[in-house]
Amino acid sequence: MYTVVGNGPLGDDLPTGVAGERARTVEAAGLTAVVGTVGLDLFGDAALRHNLEDLDWLEEVARAHDAVVGAVADTADTVPIRLATVCPDDDRVRSLLIERRSDFEAALRQIAGRAEWGVRAVADTTAPPEDAPDAGGPGAGARYLARRRAALSSRESIERAVEAEADDVHSALLQIAAGGRRQRPTAPVLAGTRAWMPLNGTYLVDRARADEFAAAVAALQDTHQRLRLDLTGPWPPYSFTGIDDVHEEPS
């Protein structure tokens, strides 16, 4: 399975799926699932467990899966189904649509007319370079330790300021988005450039407000000089359907 949409025409030009198959539709309970027929030699229970450990295979399959979901999302509100959700036959797909009808309908209401956007804030929290320690002489060790404490204090102050700016950015974007999620900040690298990601956010945005959202990101970049803001999207609403537990495998 790739995705679920409300009943309605999707067109006949669905893209090629994860096994080179042509994606197609299965309908039940007023819903349409976009699916593809794949072989158990690659997507059966044992084979799938093995293949998911092959990063090259996984990347290729993930790209193909996302291509189908993205193509459907271009024409209809769509609830993406996670990668490697395999049903034994079309009847099981129909049963799943019936069993989870209320969940799918709630997700479709949540994402109607909306798309997902990503905003990442990257910062360099490197403190100013330290002077080399004194080679020797009275008090050299104490002076070196004092400089180390000052550098640490400066770095901590920078990190607190960066976190506060990332909070401001996230709060401002939530004023425009219909919803937003924030992952834990990426820990700073302890040496070198120390590129740090204090904000890794995803936002559910009305398509009619996409330009406003992008303009807001640009304006926030101008007023938050400690951060570099990267905007990506629009994407299918992977983060906002609330039904990530849909998972089937052949018995």
Side-chain angles (χ1 to χ4, degrees):
M1 289 180 65
Y2 294 100
T3 187
V4 172
V5 303
N7 262 344
L10 292 176
D12 297 325
D13 193 24
L14 292 173
T16 298
V18 297
E21 87 286 6
R22 180 63 60 182
R24 57 189 178 81
T25 60
V26 175
E27 298 180 4
L31 299 167
T32 298
V34 178
V35 305
T37 300
V38 298
L40 296 183
D41 56 330
L42 291 177
F43 291 89
D45 191 7
L48 193 56
R49 283 198 300 270
H50 171 76
N51 288 332
L52 289 175
E53 296 177 357
D54 182 339
L55 295 183
D56 291 335
W57 183 90
L58 181 59
E59 180 180 4
E60 181 179 353
V61 169
R63 288 182 182 276
H65 182 274
D66 184 64
V68 175
V69 175
V72 175
D74 284 342
T75 61
D77 295 323
T78 183
V79 178
I81 304 299
R82 74 175 182 175
L83 182 66
T85 299
V86 182
C87 294
D89 51 38
D90 287 2
D91 285 342
R92 180 55 191 145
V93 175
R94 295 186 186 95
S95 296
L96 186 60
L97 294 177
I98 294 169
E99 293 166 6
R100 302 297 299 274
R101 177 180 179 179
S102 61
D103 295 329
F104 286 126
E105 289 178 340
L108 286 166
R109 288 192 298 270
Q110 167 74 3
I111 65 174
R114 296 166 174 163
E116 181 172 321
W117 292 80
V119 177
R120 293 181 175 181
V122 179
D124 184 352
T125 58
T126 306
E130 303 172 27
D131 295 331
D134 294 338
R143 289 193 298 272
Y144 173 69
L145 291 176
R147 284 196 298 271
R148 293 286 293 175
R149 286 194 294 268
L152 179 60
S153 177
S154 175
R155 187 160 56 240
E156 290 174 345
S157 296
I158 292 171
E159 290 179 1
R160 285 195 297 270
V162 165
E163 288 176 346
E165 291 201 17
D167 291 343
D168 289 343
V169 168
H170 182 63
S171 296
L173 295 179
L174 287 178
Q175 299 303 308
I176 301 171
R181 293 186 176 183
R182 185 175 179 178
Q183 298 181 8
R184 292 175 62 88
T186 301
V189 180
L190 298 179
T193 304
R194 302 189 74 229
W196 182 33
M197 189 185 298
L199 174 63
N200 184 9
T202 56
Y203 303 89
L204 186 64
V205 180
D206 290 343
R207 293 186 183 276
R209 303 188 72 179
D211 289 344
E212 179 185 356
F213 186 81
V217 173
L220 289 165
Q221 177 66 88
D222 289 340
T223 57
H224 293 75
Q225 297 298 319
R226 294 181 185 273
L227 305 175
R228 186 186 78 240
L229 301 181
D230 295 323
L231 173 67
T232 62
W235 308 111
Y238 286 101
S239 302
F240 297 97
T241 61
I243 55 170
D244 293 339
D245 59 328
V246 174
H247 186 62
E248 294 275 332
E249 293 180 2
S251 57

